Amino acid sequence: MKYLNLLLGCLAATILGACALGPQMQMSVPGDSAEYNGITVRLHSIEEGDNGSAEAVAESDSVDLGDLQDLVVDSLPDLEYRIGPLDMVQVVVWEHPELTSPMGQYQPAGQKVTTDGKLFYPYAGELQAAGLTAQELRAEITKRLSDKILNDPQVDVRVTGYNSRKTFVAGAVNRPGYVSFDEKPMTIPTAIAGVGGFAEEADPSGMQLRRGNKVYRINYLDAFKSNLPLDKILLQPEDQLFVPMLSETQKENRVYVLGEVQRTGIVNLNQGNLSLVEALASSGGLQALYASSSSIYVLRNTSEKQIDVYHLNAKNAMALAMAGRFNLNAHDIVYVDASGLATWYRILSLLKPNMDVLNSGANAFKATTGAMRDIQMME
């Protein structure tokens, strides 16, 4: 009897230990605008269509451009190109080839403006060309030739080489390098076209525009879906555009899927795009025995002072359609909570090996007791 009490005590201790070791992590859902370590926590409902941008849309009919709003113009200006250092300028004086091409067939297609903005032309002398438009330079050359050697000269001036103002495009494009400004406005699509377009391995969703000390992030792929007017973002000389490779952005563009799914781990965004449904499917879906389909969450560090928690109740199959429209951001955490029975399932799985050991011990104890009884009877 003493040994039996000992075994029962061991069994009770095992049960209590298993309960203590049972998985107890469950999502503690905060109230809206709750505080956590000084950070505001906001709760949203995915099945009700709340993806965090509803307030911005309600406040304004325009698309929320963020920092890019600083770059967008209402309409493209009618530009007159102003000549700069190292530009090539061609001056034609009609009916006077000796002035137009004094070097004959060896005359290059124009003259290069010096680094200090000067241009020399026969009989007109040295002119300050930098800062003038082609028409303004034409008027100055016409005036000087009229004063010296010609009556009513017919002069034409045009820029044949644009070298003074450039923007630099680097990264995963077909011909990285400088793109020169001309009479047409320089926009982001124009600059990309000037380097031969995106390379096959490019990730346009992670483009960056550096202007001075500030860097603007641009998702080129989403621009057309969200009506972002990239053709109204005017580039400036010395701007730098960078297009990353997909293999580089995938290191940063990740979401983390945790909780009651078949495979917890990291899921890469596909060129900046990944829906909640795609993330769950990539993780093998929910665990049928353990997952609570009514408790699926997306945790997002929106800013240093705000965390947004998006809740999905997938018991309603139509809610999955809303999850398909919910796009994840890089570094989002997708968490699937455990159901109420999950802990008991796991406690039982932990107890089973111990119960088998105790059952074997009890059987051995019975066998030993029976053998000792038989020996005593024989004596």
Side-chain angles (χ1 to χ4, degrees):
M1 190 66 179
K2 180 179 178 181
Y3 293 104
L4 183 58
N5 290 335
L6 180 60
L7 287 175
L8 290 176
C10 292
L11 177 59
T14 303
I15 293 174
L16 292 174
C19 290
L21 294 174
Q24 302 295 324
M25 180 178 177
Q26 288 186 314
M27 186 74 173
S28 178
V29 181
D32 191 21
S33 299
E35 293 287 332
Y36 177 77
N37 288 343
I39 301 174
T40 300
V41 180
R42 299 183 59 194
L43 184 64
H44 309 266
S45 176
I46 295 176
E47 62 266 23
E48 294 179 5
D50 190 351
N51 59 7
S53 62
E55 294 177 1
V57 173
E59 292 174 0
S60 174
D61 293 333
S62 62
V63 178
D64 184 10
L65 302 176
D67 290 344
L68 294 180
Q69 186 66 59
D70 301 338
L71 310 178
V72 177
V73 297
D74 294 332
S75 60
L76 296 180
D78 295 326
L79 300 178
E80 277 193 295
Y81 183 82
R82 294 196 172 273
I83 299 167
L86 304 181
D87 281 346
M88 295 292 292
V89 177
Q90 186 178 48
V91 181
V92 176
V93 182
W94 294 101
E95 298 183 353
H96 291 276
E98 73 281 4
L99 294 177
T100 300
S101 302
M103 298 177 61
Q105 62 178 332
Y106 301 105
Q107 178 78 17
Q111 296 171 258
K112 181 177 289 188
V113 179
T114 63
T115 55
D116 57 355
K118 299 295 186 3
L119 179 72
F120 176 81
Y121 195 76
Y123 300 102
E126 190 175 65
L127 305 111
Q128 180 63 39
L132 302 179
T133 66
Q135 292 305 313
E136 291 170 344
L137 181 59
R138 170 183 174 276
E140 181 63 24
I141 293 176
T142 299
K143 179 180 180 300
R144 293 195 182 192
L145 292 180
S146 298
D147 292 343
K148 291 186 177 181
I149 61 172
L150 299 176
N151 292 322
D152 191 23
Q154 303 300 305
V155 180
D156 183 32
V157 175
R158 63 191 182 95
V159 181
T160 58
Y162 301 90
N163 303 310
S164 60
R165 299 191 299 159
K166 300 177 180 180
T167 188
F168 187 71
V169 183
V173 292
N174 287 315
R175 296 191 303 273
Y178 287 99
V179 180
S180 297
F181 285 70
D182 54 22
E183 289 89 351
K184 300 183 294 297
M186 177 67 74
T187 64
I188 291 179
T190 303
I192 295 299
V195 291
F198 297 112
E200 185 176 352
E201 64 274 15
D203 182 7
S205 67
M207 283 181 56
Q208 298 178 16
L209 167 62
R210 178 182 291 276
R211 176 169 295 174
N213 295 325
K214 189 168 183 179
V215 176
Y216 299 87
R217 298 187 180 277
I218 303 170
N219 189 328
Y220 198 91
L221 297 179
D222 283 350
F224 299 100
K225 297 179 183 178
S226 58
N227 297 320
L228 177 64
L230 291 178
D231 57 342
K232 290 186 178 180
I233 294 180
L234 290 179
L235 298 181
Q236 297 178 1
E238 309 306 324
D239 280 354
Q240 298 178 36
L241 270 178
F242 175 72
V243 181
M245 296 180 64
L246 185 59
S247 58
E248 295 174 350
T249 57
Q250 281 182 340
K251 297 176 182 178
E252 292 295 329
N253 290 345
R254 296 174 170 182
V255 299
Y256 309 94
V257 183
L258 306 174
E260 307 303 328
V261 293
Q262 298 293 342
R263 296 184 302 275
T264 60
I266 296 172
V267 179
N268 292 323
L269 274 69
N270 181 19
Q271 294 188 326
N273 294 313
L274 183 72
S275 70
L276 176 55
V277 167
E278 289 173 327
L280 292 173
S282 298
S283 300
L286 308 186
Q287 290 192 17
L289 290 178
Y290 303 131
S292 172
S293 59
S294 63
S295 303
I296 301 174
Y297 302 92
V298 176
L299 289 80
R300 177 173 298 167
N301 282 298
T302 306
S303 66
E304 292 184 359
K305 296 296 183 180
Q306 180 174 324
I307 297 175
D308 286 288
V309 178
Y310 300 88
H311 173 240
L312 175 68
N313 183 351
K315 280 191 174 181
N316 181 357
M318 295 305 298
L320 291 175
M322 299 304 298
R325 300 181 180 184
F326 185 89
N327 289 324
L328 299 172
N329 293 346
H331 307 298
D332 278 355
I333 300 173
V334 178
Y335 179 74
V336 180
D337 212 347
S339 66
L341 295 177
T343 300
W344 292 106
Y345 283 132
R346 287 175 172 148
I347 288 175
L348 291 175
S349 67
L350 290 173
L351 283 177
K352 187 177 182 303
N354 297 310
M355 293 296 293
D356 291 342
V357 170
L358 290 174
N359 188 49
S360 298
N363 291 334
F365 178 77
K366 290 179 180 179
T368 303
T369 304
M372 292 177 63
R373 187 183 300 114
D374 291 342
I375 293 173
Q376 290 176 354
M377 291 177 64
M378 291 176 63
E379 293 176 351

